[in-house]
Amino acid sequence: MIDALHLLRESGEEARVLAGGQSLVPMMNFRLVQPSVLIDLNRMPGWSFIDIRDGALVIGAMTRQAMIEDSSVVASHCALLADAVRLVAHRQIRTRGTLGGSLALAYPGAELPLVVLTLGGEITVASLDGERCIPAVKFFRGALSTSLRPDELITSVRLPLCAANAGMAFVEVSRRHGDFASVGAAVVLELDGASNIRLARIGVTGVTAMPVCAASAEAALLGKPAVEESFAAAAGIAAAEVDVLDDSQYPALYRRELVAAIVRRGLRLAASRVGGVDGA
């Protein structure tokens, strides 16, 4: 790792990091980026793993998306990530694409950044100055923009574990199977003994420049029964609070309608997984 970090610092803005290469190589082919230095991380030892440590799911930055998809640990402890990773492009892409690469690219509509944000994850990064942990809420700054410094590499991601009985769902709409999400929602619900909602997390992507949490919609659900009326109200709040993009192809009004529909669907599905309303 030290050699890679030295190269990164010496090369500065002229360098690009090659992880899975599923985004970088096409960008180079189209001359969108023309780095003079490529730093290949594919033989970096110890950066591909999936572990449970201190109440969290910890995944190495070079872990292939297909490895996450096939992991029994992920399936058992983080159904939200298991749902989302199956929607990333196509299986052939996932056999090469990495978790760290997806987070570093921060492409609008990408599924994995939304999962990390919604779960309150942390991204560990390293430079010659040492390591630092960046909360996901501070890591993503906009389309293709993060707080990662030019001399830093992502080394791992930490996702706090949810309660064993939490219901999770990741749902999205895309123009074609394998495309980035036109709109996507990540939902986590925990219910009390009376089937009222005691914890709600809602993340949205695709209609914004970066993944965002719908904090007002989350707050509106607390203490409410896990029924369709509650979900419809929260979905409407989410659609109103998210700062959606606006263009001639997808006007803001249309994007808000998408948010309301997909958040409502995600809430319904998450609740169904903890014995609430039927999923759809």
Side-chain angles (χ1 to χ4, degrees):
M1 179 176 72
I2 295 298
D3 289 342
L5 292 175
H6 273 292
L7 282 170
L8 198 56
R9 177 161 291 183
E10 291 168 1
S11 305
E13 298 290 344
E14 296 299 315
R16 287 292 186 275
V17 174
L18 179 66
Q22 300 307 291
S23 298
L24 178 61
V25 172
M27 290 169 71
M28 292 172 62
N29 287 340
F30 284 105
R31 304 295 192 268
L32 297 175
V33 295
Q34 300 183 57
S36 59
V37 177
L38 275 179
I39 301 173
D40 189 349
L41 301 183
N42 281 276
R43 294 185 181 180
M44 192 74 71
W47 281 21
S48 178
F49 62 85
I50 299 173
D51 290 333
I52 300 296
R53 302 176 188 171
D54 301 323
L57 176 65
V58 183
I59 305 177
M62 285 298 295
T63 305
R64 308 291 176 184
Q65 294 155 3
M67 181 177 171
I68 297 172
E69 181 180 9
D70 297 339
S71 170
S72 59
V73 175
V74 172
S76 298
H77 293 89
C78 191
L80 185 65
L81 179 57
D83 276 0
V85 75
R86 297 187 185 97
L87 297 172
V88 176
H90 303 278
R91 176 71 182 190
Q92 296 92 328
I93 299 294
R94 297 194 293 271
T95 60
R96 294 297 302 167
T98 64
L99 174 59
S102 178
L103 300 182
L105 182 64
Y107 197 93
E111 292 84 1
L112 301 184
L114 180 60
V115 171
V116 177
L117 177 73
T118 305
L119 291 177
E122 292 182 336
I123 297 97
T124 300
V125 304
S127 72
L128 291 177
D129 299 323
E131 287 190 341
R132 63 183 181 123
C133 293
I134 309 172
V137 69
K138 295 183 178 180
F139 184 80
F140 302 107
R141 290 184 169 178
L144 305 175
S145 177
T146 72
S147 59
L148 194 67
R149 296 197 299 256
D151 65 341
E152 289 180 321
L153 295 172
I154 298 175
T155 60
S156 64
V157 178
R158 182 182 184 275
L159 301 175
L161 296 180
C162 296
N165 63 344
M168 306 182 194
F170 192 103
V171 291
E172 71 174 35
V173 171
S174 59
R175 295 186 67 179
R176 296 171 301 182
H177 173 68
D179 283 359
F180 287 109
S182 299
V183 60
V187 175
V188 180
L189 290 179
E190 292 181 18
L191 309 183
D192 62 20
S195 294
N196 293 323
I197 299 167
R198 66 182 181 191
L199 180 145
R201 294 176 182 166
I202 304 170
V204 176
T205 193
V207 295
T208 58
M210 62 181 183
V212 295
C213 288
S216 297
E218 294 170 348
L221 284 167
L222 298 182
K224 299 295 195 300
V227 296
E228 189 65 33
E229 182 180 356
S230 302
F231 301 154
I237 293 171
E241 73 173 296
V242 172
D243 188 15
V244 300
L245 300 171
D246 186 18
D247 55 46
S248 59
Q249 185 176 17
Y250 296 115
L253 179 61
Y254 174 69
R255 292 179 193 268
R256 293 193 188 282
E257 291 292 334
L258 281 178
V259 171
I262 208 70
V263 167
R264 187 172 182 176
R265 186 185 304 175
L267 288 167
R268 189 184 303 127
L269 180 56
S272 74
R273 291 175 171 175
V274 284
V277 297
D278 292 336

